[in-house]
Amino acid sequence: MYRGEVYRSTIWRTRLDTTTNWAVVTLGVALSISFASPDASPLPLVLVGVLIILFLMLEARRYRYFNVWRARARWMEVHFYAPMLADGDLHLEEDWQKVLANDYLRPRYHVSSMVAVGRRIRRNYLWILLIQAMAYMGKLVVHPTPAQTVEEVIRRADVGPLRGEVVIGIGLLYVLTWAGIAIWSARMDSRRGAIRGTEQSSSMG
């Protein structure tokens, strides 16, 4: 049973890497298009954000599955293998086996979608989003010629009827929102860690 849970967690961990790779590749393509020439549009760096968020949501969903298998394997390591090796006693009086049995009988995700999103942002996607934002601003500053004023940079950010101030403002909101979710999820994980020390069943997941 332990080997089965480790195998499933390994498979889903590999799937997490796949979606991260997709996000990196699409950002790389957008960078190549936007910086191909001084006259190339910075718009691909904006539009690629939609794909990055799509991959983030897919990865968060996959993470919730991965977390179930990982938690079960870790639960058995902590409550089965470690006590057996250290004490020769499985400590069944602590009812850890009932927690595991209930998780098999009534499977459920151990973290919410937002916590999963926040964890994936902290692990990988915050860096991808920051690179996207810096590349976009770099494109506005250096192409087609080095900008001389802030007003010139803002004017280059115009997209059709949308003024540059609006586009840049949306970009800032875009990055700050995901950064805020990452910070919020870190605080939630800290609270879970504090509870874990006093409530045995809460450490599952």
Side-chain angles (χ1 to χ4, degrees), residues 29-119:
V29 171
L31 287 169
S32 298
I33 294 172
S34 293
F35 285 90
S37 71
D39 295 325
S41 172
L43 191 58
L45 288 171
V46 176
L47 298 179
V48 76
V50 178
L51 284 175
I52 290 175
I53 297 308
L54 171 63
F55 295 142
L56 171 59
M57 294 305 170
L58 288 174
E59 187 163 324
R61 179 176 177 272
R62 291 178 175 184
Y63 176 82
R64 297 181 78 192
Y65 281 101
F66 158 77
N67 190 61
V68 172
W69 320 133
R70 180 208 60 79
R72 289 175 179 173
R74 182 60 181 159
W75 191 259
M76 284 186 274
E77 289 171 354
V78 170
H79 295 285
F80 183 82
Y81 289 110
M84 183 172 58
L85 293 171
D87 306 326
D89 184 358
L90 298 183
H91 300 293
L92 298 181
E93 68 279 2
E94 297 177 1
D95 289 336
W96 61 266
Q97 73 279 11
K98 292 183 180 179
V99 175
L100 183 60
N102 287 333
D103 197 63
Y104 278 109
L105 290 171
R106 289 176 288 276
R108 61 180 179 82
Y109 293 122
H110 297 154
V111 295
S112 67
S113 295
M114 290 302 293
V115 169
V117 168
R119 288 182 181 180

Side-chain angles (χ1 to χ4, degrees), residues 156-177:
R156 291 177 182 180
D158 293 346
V159 177
L162 293 178
R163 294 176 58 84
E165 295 91 337
V166 176
V167 176
I168 293 175
I170 293 173
L172 286 173
L173 180 63
Y174 166 81
V175 173
L176 292 175
T177 297

